[in-house]
Amino acid sequence: MQVGFLRLTCTPLSNRLGVTPALAARVSNSMHQRPPVVVFDFDLTLTRWDTADRFFRWLLRRDPARLALVLAALPVLGPLLLPRFTRRLPIRYAVWVATLGRTPEALPALVEEFILTLPLGHGSVFLPAAVERLQAHVARGDEVVIATGCLDVLAAALLRQAGLGQVPLVASTVRPFLGGLARDQHCYGANKIPMLVSRGFAPPWAVAYTDHSADLSVLELAHERFLVNPKPGCVTRLEAALASKMTILDWR
């Protein structure tokens, strides 16, 4: 469920992202005493597929009534999936329908049930080469953090089962909305930066890994940048925006 592409402007990045100078300065001062910070995306960077997308599809398929509500809305919402700037609307509707009658507190049990339906459990989710790279950074003493648009309870459960539960996670959250759940904080694109800063991971970062051009803002603020299994269009957009060649990692 990837949406959008951030264009560079002449406005300072901290101003665009709502990071106050006091907050950035307070966290930056601590960086002189800390190891290099390495930022990993999650879905399609560490994983083989979009885990949140598959989780919410599973919630819909297991309940014919919910699936019927989504299918009934396709004539209206389907065309909105094509333009990037409207794609979030049908996605939000599908998430709301998938969670009708549920609270945030019910999600952990559903996540565990979902993981049990996977053919190899968490073992089918992660890219081995990606996990090895992450573990190599940890072994080297780097400070690794995962910043993802994935649902926090889903990403946390998958990481925990893969033995990576100790890695700090900054992820998206949901809140109650009209009987279902809706996005609260979305750790996606440029919004990753203030969310990382609020957790004590202020830029600049030593290294950033991602698969998607939506993370342009994160890549801007990293000294080393890696693209994991990217689509050709993603490489073109990022190299044009950053005016530099990207390092491509084929971890498939």
Side-chain angles (χ1 to χ4, degrees):
M1 295 189 287
Q2 303 286 348
V3 187
F5 177 65
L6 180 70
R7 293 186 179 179
L8 293 173
T9 72
C10 294
T11 307
L13 194 58
S14 59
N15 291 350
R16 283 187 273 142
L17 300 172
V19 179
T20 65
L23 178 58
R26 185 172 70 250
V27 182
S28 295
N29 287 339
S30 68
M31 293 178 64
H32 296 94
Q33 291 81 38
R34 73 190 307 176
V37 176
V38 179
V39 181
F40 277 85
D41 185 28
F42 184 70
D43 283 322
L44 300 173
T45 299
L46 292 171
T47 71
R48 302 178 192 274
W49 29 265
D50 187 323
T51 58
D53 177 71
R54 188 168 293 197
F55 172 64
F56 286 112
R57 287 176 185 269
W58 172 78
L59 285 178
L60 290 171
R61 286 196 304 267
R62 72 202 297 262
D63 189 334
R66 297 175 193 273
L67 186 58
L69 281 174
V70 173
L71 294 177
L74 276 182
V76 175
L77 296 178
L80 299 180
L81 287 168
L82 299 177
R84 292 189 177 191
F85 59 91
T86 60
R87 196 174 300 166
R88 65 184 182 276
L89 299 175
I91 291 172
R92 289 177 182 175
Y93 174 75
V95 169
W96 176 73
V97 171
T99 57
L100 274 173
R102 295 177 172 130
T103 65
E105 292 73 26
L107 288 178
L110 289 169
V111 164
E112 295 298 330
E113 186 179 347
F114 165 70
I115 294 174
L116 290 176
T117 68
L118 302 176
L120 299 174
H122 70 271
S124 65
V125 176
F126 290 96
L127 293 162
V131 173
E132 289 176 11
R133 179 65 68 92
L134 185 152
Q135 291 173 328
H137 279 292
V138 173
R140 193 159 55 228
D142 296 337
E143 191 166 1
V144 176
V145 59
I146 297 169
T148 175
C150 181
L151 186 64
D152 57 353
V153 293
L154 175 60
L158 289 168
L159 289 166
R160 187 168 56 251
Q161 292 201 15
L164 300 172
Q166 79 285 1
V167 179
L169 173 68
V170 181
S172 296
T173 59
V174 291
R175 58 180 174 81
F177 177 72
L178 297 178
L181 299 176
R183 184 182 73 186
D184 183 17
Q185 286 191 300
H186 194 26
C187 188
Y188 179 81
N191 200 43
K192 287 186 177 184
I193 298 174
M195 291 184 71
L196 281 163
V197 169
S198 70
R199 290 283 300 276
F201 300 100
W205 303 293
V207 190
Y209 294 85
T210 186
D211 72 293
H212 202 273
S213 56
D215 282 327
L216 170 61
S217 296
V218 175
L219 296 172
E220 279 187 283
L221 298 172
H223 295 298
E224 286 188 88
R225 306 151 177 164
F226 294 95
L227 269 179
V228 179
N229 304 335
K231 297 178 181 179
C234 172
V235 177
T236 302
R237 286 193 296 270
L238 285 175
E239 289 186 343
L242 295 167
S244 65
K245 297 291 288 183
M246 296 296 303
T247 302
I248 310 300
L249 299 173
D250 188 352
W251 284 345
R252 284 167 287 202

